[in-house]
Amino acid sequence: MFNPVIDVHHHIISREMQRKQKELGIEIPSFMPKWTPEIGLEKMGIADISFSFLSAPSDLTFIDQPSANTLARKMNEELASYAQQYPEKYGAFATLPLPDAGAALEETVYALDVLGLDGVAMLTSYQGKYLSHPDYAELLSELDRRSAVVFLHPILIPQKIAGLSPALLEGTFDTTRAVTTMAVHRIFDQYPSITFILPHTGGMVPYIKWRIALAAIGQDSIQVEATPEQFQAEMDKLDHLYYDSTLNLGTIQKLIGPDRILFGADIPWPADSVLRMQRESVLHEAMQISEDNMKAIAYGNAFRLFPRISKFYEKVTMN
């Protein structure tokens, strides 16, 4: 039986972003991969991916705020155009013009209500302000009211650390910092209806849940008395986040329930051989637990978060 694979982690290389960069005389890095909706479909075919949620989580602070607001609008209309052109292949998460929370709130309403996008893509921080910052309270309240999906992508610093590419490890550590900060500042308590998706299996979050729980209980102090029940309550909140499988999976299946893992590929960044290997590895490892586990990660969990797409596969997924 055919099992669709739903990818929640597929980045566009935005033509609107590149147009603005060229206008400002900003050189586009040579390592930037090529992407068009057709290239995206070709990459999906290589990894036998059925449907992708597109995103372009971007730091727009290289331009002034009014220009950032305009660029975010153009990028979201670009994202929507791909979803409209290929409705059975692409969905999309909106780009927000943060750190201006008011502008981001306005763009959220437009992207979700007018463009019909499937959620929002946010960076872990903007100009050093993580999402636990009070400035973002109104925006998070609106996302919570809407039970919105938030794809939370790490920032990438430009310089190497220990001689290593920041894309290799630093992004996973930044995700871990962001989630720990949110736990300490009770973001998951205040906005329980937001569905957060953490890429790259959540960085170190699944592996150090106990330490994050301690930070939340002690409000960033480790010298605090605590009970097992308090630890479990804090770890339960982390267990209710979603974790995508991008460039990692392995032991996370022993640490996070199968109903909280989504497939992610990170197109267009990995080489074709890695895309194939990633899909085979994820589904093989999931199948080692059970067929139901594999189906949940491949498509079942995504269908639950985004019920609109399940209609494309109703016949082929029925036993």
Side-chain angles (χ1 to χ4, degrees), residues 24-309:
L24 297 174
I26 298 173
E27 184 177 351
I28 298 172
S30 58
F31 60 77
M32 191 69 69
K34 301 294 184 184
W35 191 92
T36 64
E38 292 72 30
I39 290 174
L41 291 174
E42 180 183 338
K43 297 288 186 181
M44 289 165 63
I46 288 169
D48 200 14
I49 292 167
S50 309
F51 188 97
S52 290
F53 288 95
L54 305 176
S55 62
S58 304
D59 184 350
L60 303 183
T61 58
F62 68 96
I63 49 181
D64 62 76
Q65 191 61 54
S67 298
N69 299 347
T70 299
L71 179 55
R73 175 64 53 89
K74 289 181 178 180
M75 290 174 68
N76 289 332
E77 291 176 340
E78 178 186 358
L79 283 159
S81 74
Y82 301 142
Q84 291 160 6
Q85 187 177 1
Y86 299 99
E88 295 189 16
K89 287 294 181 180
Y90 289 142
F93 301 141
T95 297
L96 301 184
L98 290 161
D100 187 323
L105 178 58
E106 182 178 338
E107 190 59 29
T108 294
V109 173
Y110 180 78
L112 300 184
D113 291 352
V114 179
L115 297 180
L117 300 190
D118 296 284
V120 302
M122 300 171 72
L123 294 173
T124 46
S125 68
Y126 296 84
Q127 295 185 320
K129 291 196 301 188
Y130 283 81
L131 298 189
S132 54
H133 195 282
D135 284 0
Y136 302 137
E138 186 177 1
L139 172 61
L140 292 176
S141 292
E142 178 62 16
L143 292 168
D144 185 71
R145 186 186 71 80
R146 291 169 173 267
S147 298
V149 173
V150 174
F151 179 75
L152 188 62
H153 198 279
I155 61 171
L156 289 180
I157 59 174
Q159 63 270 30
K160 290 187 175 184
I161 297 179
L164 299 172
S165 165
L168 185 64
L169 294 177
E170 180 56 28
T172 63
F173 299 142
D174 183 60
T175 297
T176 308
R177 280 192 291 271
V179 172
T180 303
T181 300
M182 293 163 79
V184 169
H185 290 274
R186 303 298 182 190
I187 297 300
F188 305 127
D189 296 312
Q190 295 176 58
Y191 311 106
S193 295
I194 297 177
T195 296
F196 288 101
I197 299 176
L198 307 181
H200 321 114
T201 59
M204 293 301 296
V205 172
Y207 308 94
I208 62 168
K209 288 187 291 184
W210 202 92
R211 295 177 70 92
I212 296 173
L214 181 60
I217 294 166
Q219 291 296 281
D220 207 25
S221 170
I222 63 173
Q223 295 179 319
V224 61
E225 299 291 346
T227 67
E229 291 76 18
Q230 286 177 298
F231 272 96
Q232 191 59 53
E234 295 301 330
M235 290 191 290
D236 284 347
K237 297 168 193 174
L238 303 176
D239 287 341
H240 280 80
L241 305 175
Y242 281 82
Y243 299 79
D244 87 28
S245 66
T246 302
L247 298 176
N248 200 14
L249 185 64
T251 56
I252 189 178
Q253 293 190 98
K254 298 179 181 179
L255 303 170
I256 294 294
D259 63 331
R260 295 287 152 168
I261 302 175
L262 301 161
F263 181 84
D266 212 5
I267 293 172
W269 292 96
D272 292 352
S273 60
V274 175
L275 281 177
R276 293 190 195 96
M277 190 186 316
Q278 187 172 199
R279 181 192 189 279
E280 292 167 3
S281 173
V282 167
L283 298 190
H284 175 74
E285 290 176 12
M287 191 68 172
Q288 297 308 298
I289 295 177
S290 71
E291 183 177 359
D292 285 344
N293 180 69
M294 181 274 292
K295 290 179 178 179
I297 293 172
Y299 64 87
N301 296 334
F303 284 0
R304 191 173 65 254
L305 282 183
F306 309 101
R308 74 173 188 83
I309 67 171

